[in-house]
Amino acid sequence: QKNGMNCLTPPRSTPEVLKFAKHMFSGFSSLLLVASAMCLLLFIVTTARTGNYHLQEDNLYLGIILFLVVLVTSCFSYYQEAKSAFIMKGFLKLVPQNATVVRDGVAQTVDPRNLVLGDLVMVNSGDRVPADIRIVHVDRFKVDNSALTGESEALTRTPHNTNTEPLEATNLAFFSTFAVEGQCKGIVVRTGDHTMMG
């Protein structure tokens, strides 16, 4: 239990206004806002001195256009970030509802949050993998790693490792990936935020 519960910790949420302000006032946007403010200030000062706004109306238009460019790009960036955050929240729904674990030689269904390192779990076709596991026995077992890697093709898993890179290793199955064929037994090697998904 020293590794905590086998669940993903939700990220700290930032108020939406601050997220939008970050896009509006950071990086290149801040330079454009300064340029916009300078154009508008020049228009106001010149108009106040001469009383004729026609002399500097180009600065007025330029200032307004620069501000609108910053506003539109900030809205677009904020929308993209919000969409990505929504997708990330969807990963929390990928958590399996139950897991079959062998403890003291008896197979039992448990809440996956209660899995610990070293547990022997059984995964069948149609299940979600309840934690990162090292496979010790398979029967034509394939997993869908698309949530992690984007690969659409199901990957065959075996007890024998063929690669040192974890995402490429054939003897590992990862938390919340989908078992599409066969069955396996595996030892829990990572849980919760320590998993590849975490």
Side-chain angles (χ1 to χ4, degrees), residues 41-74:
L41 184 64
L42 183 61
F43 170 78
I44 291 169
V45 169
T46 305
T47 302
R49 277 190 168 170
T50 63
N52 185 357
Y53 72 90
H54 293 295
L55 293 174
Q56 292 293 324
E57 66 183 5
D58 287 347
N59 283 328
L60 172 66
Y61 298 142
L62 182 59
I64 291 171
I65 288 171
L66 288 174
F67 178 77
L68 290 175
V69 165
V70 170
L71 185 64
V72 168
T73 57
S74 297

Side-chain angles (χ1 to χ4, degrees), residues 133-143 155-163 168-173 183-185:
I133 62 174
R134 182 176 48 83
I135 295 170
V136 294
H137 175 7
V138 296
D139 180 16
R140 298 181 318 272
F141 187 63
K142 290 186 177 184
V143 292
L155 303 171
T156 301
R157 296 291 163 209
T158 67
H160 309 291
N161 187 15
T162 59
N163 200 315
E168 300 296 325
T170 57
N171 69 333
L172 295 176
Q183 56 191 5
C184 82
K185 289 182 183 176

Side-chain angles (χ1 to χ4, degrees), residues 176-190:
S176 81
T177 57
F178 191 65
V180 294
E181 184 179 318
Q183 56 191 5
C184 82
K185 289 182 183 176
I187 305 288
V188 174
V189 293
R190 284 187 291 231

Side-chain angles (χ1 to χ4, degrees), residues 86-137:
F86 180 74
I87 290 170
M88 293 305 289
K89 284 182 184 176
F91 282 134
L92 295 176
K93 296 177 185 172
L94 297 177
V95 177
Q97 299 302 310
N98 55 41
T100 305
V101 62
V102 178
R103 290 182 178 156
D104 299 322
V106 178
Q108 50 189 300
T109 301
V110 298
D111 185 335
R113 294 178 294 181
N114 296 324
L115 290 176
V116 294
L117 298 181
D119 271 343
L120 178 64
V121 296
M122 297 170 31
V123 181
N124 295 309
S125 179
D127 293 346
R128 288 210 179 272
V129 178
D132 284 2
I133 62 174
R134 182 176 48 83
I135 295 170
V136 294
H137 175 7

Side-chain angles (χ1 to χ4, degrees), residues 31-41 59 62-64 66-67:
L31 292 175
L32 291 176
L33 284 175
V34 168
S36 173
M38 289 175 69
C39 288
L40 293 174
L41 184 64
N59 283 328
L62 182 59
I64 291 171
L66 288 174
F67 178 77

